[in-house]
Amino acid sequence: MREFGVRVGGVLLLVGAGFPALASEPSPLRVSIMLGEAERPGLLFESDELDPPELALTRGLSEASARIAAEMRGSDPIDLPLGKGIGSRISLGETLTYDSNLFRLSGAAAAKAAGLAGMGDWYSVTKLGLGLDKSYAGQQLVLEYELSMTRYGAFDFLNNNANTAVGRWRWSAGPDWKGELAAEHREAMDDFAYYRQQQRSLAVTRQVSAGGFYQLMPDWQVGVQAAQGSRRYPDGSRPSNEIDFTGLDTVLRYVPESGAVVAITRRRAQGQYPNAPITSTGLSESRFDQDELFAEANLPLRSGTRLLGRVGSVTRTYQRFPQNNYSGRNAMLGLDWQVTPRTTLGTTLRYDIEPAQDFVSNYVAVKGLRLGAVWAYSTKLRVESRLEWRDAQYRGDPGFGVSTGAQREDKSMLASVAGTWQLAPRTRWITALTRERRESSEAGLSFNYWTLAGSLQWVF
């Protein structure tokens, strides 16, 4: 199966279904709809993948925007406070990376069988970004565009240009109403950890979203958030994985002056695969419905330290094969501990039930533990490290009429360290080293790799 992630209200919703040929794991493609509390990197509400650090410019339009984005929003239900527009920016970035196992193959024999001369390769990513951030009378307009040009050494058939364009209008109407309208266009190549064919697969995701919150009474807010979008492959590489999706959230939030946030969310989502083969004997699903109910808490313990938690339930039903239906519970617990003014430690423990179908399963039970540390040595030097463990057990009945325990189990360990050096007020250098090892009970799906990357970035 190939799945989608739709982030509504600060939480990642995974949607996806079907049995496209040779598909055995969820794609890492993610769709983010930031209508609620801003995402805090390295903490809760993640997908089931181990995501390596991204050598990318902050989404803020300047250093001032980055500081605003880092503030605890408290009662503000959108990711940047209204009335704090920064202006405009032009950004340039050049990243050079070596990946020891680009296609996430099980070994040299698998590379030879695929007709490849080797497993590793160098590649460069050149990025040009333009941004505009303007506010007037309580209304905020944010426009962003980024062109990413990726060029490979030995595997030059993967060369690609990808465009991202995002427009957001953060509105307010009096003291009690505020919300956001947004439209996004994103292009990205699928990750070979989940797509096991050695060819370029560039996905185009488009979505529109809208949301609004009303101040029901002091410290209480009620809101509705909706999104609609699609993923397409214009190059024709993966037609069976194209999808249309919609989502609707109803949210009740408690946001006292202490800076805590407690929210209860009721979610409905639907997805449809327009190109799924519909035959009397086929097992492919063309449509699904998903229901979720969950509660979240973000509680300040003392200055710089916060406790985060989430507990909920999920139910998914399919149109053609009720054997694929499943339900389960999800739970997450995290602590962000400010040890000293320069040092922060974080940990996250989670258990998720998510869609991840192949020919012997229809959902995956994921246990994960993440440990992280951030050391700000000075205003110019910052070091971040991360250790992450994940155990994924693929379970259920994909339509054969026999439900069993785990059919497949993947265990992963990822370690990474990254350093950021502010060379000048508008120039910085980032170096990152990542190592991941995955062991799978299914032959051919185990792999290990390491990457070394350096990135030079400018913001004007």
Side-chain angles (χ1 to χ4, degrees), residues 97-311:
T97 303
Y98 180 77
D99 192 318
S100 67
N101 185 2
L102 186 67
F103 295 108
R104 304 299 179 255
L105 300 171
S106 58
K112 184 177 180 179
L116 303 174
M119 297 172 61
D121 196 8
W122 289 90
Y123 63 92
S124 67
V125 181
T126 303
K127 291 187 176 183
L128 169 64
L130 304 174
L132 177 67
D133 185 343
K134 294 294 185 182
S135 296
Y136 179 76
Q139 315 302 309
Q140 184 179 25
L141 178 65
V142 179
L143 301 175
E144 294 182 90
Y145 171 79
E146 182 179 83
L147 171 62
S148 178
M149 295 169 286
T150 305
R151 297 295 181 265
Y152 292 81
F155 305 129
D156 57 1
F157 58 88
L158 297 177
N159 292 350
N160 66 88
N161 297 336
N163 297 275
T164 296
V166 180
R168 303 182 189 277
W169 171 37
R170 301 184 175 106
W171 56 268
S172 64
D176 298 329
W177 286 95
K178 60 179 59 179
E180 178 181 280
L181 298 176
E184 303 183 24
H185 172 98
R186 301 183 184 276
E187 301 174 3
M189 192 168 70
D190 287 352
D191 194 319
F192 291 103
Y194 298 92
Y195 176 50
R196 296 307 183 99
Q197 297 181 16
Q198 292 76 48
Q199 70 178 82
R200 187 181 67 179
S201 179
L202 196 67
V204 178
T205 303
R206 297 184 179 92
Q207 64 183 20
V208 293
S209 58
F213 279 84
Y214 175 70
Q215 193 76 23
L216 192 63
M217 61 184 70
D219 300 338
W220 288 91
Q221 300 171 352
V222 62
V224 175
Q225 305 172 138
Q228 182 177 21
S230 66
R231 177 180 60 184
R232 295 291 185 266
Y233 292 87
D235 57 5
S237 59
R238 302 175 68 190
S240 62
N241 289 76
E242 296 184 348
I243 187 175
D244 301 313
F245 59 89
T246 60
L248 176 66
D249 278 14
T250 303
V251 186
L252 177 65
R253 294 161 52 96
Y254 174 63
V255 283
E257 293 183 359
S258 65
V261 179
V262 179
I264 299 175
T265 302
R266 177 71 167 86
R267 170 174 299 154
R268 292 293 305 274
Q270 293 181 335
Q272 182 171 352
Y273 290 83
N275 301 322
I278 305 299
T279 64
S280 59
T281 58
L283 292 175
S284 60
E285 293 281 6
S286 61
R287 184 181 179 87
F288 67 88
D289 295 277
Q290 185 164 316
D291 292 285
E292 293 187 66
L293 178 65
F294 53 87
E296 304 165 87
N298 186 329
L299 308 175
L301 302 181
R302 61 180 179 84
S303 178
T305 299
R306 302 184 76 85
L307 178 67
L308 303 100
R310 179 174 185 258
V311 61

Side-chain angles (χ1 to χ4, degrees), residues 374-394:
V374 178
W375 181 44
Y377 175 75
S378 67
T379 58
K380 292 187 176 182
L381 180 61
R382 174 187 177 96
V383 179
E384 303 179 41
S385 61
R386 187 170 100 189
L387 181 64
E388 192 164 343
W389 170 83
R390 170 180 175 262
D391 184 356
Q393 296 184 2
Y394 292 75

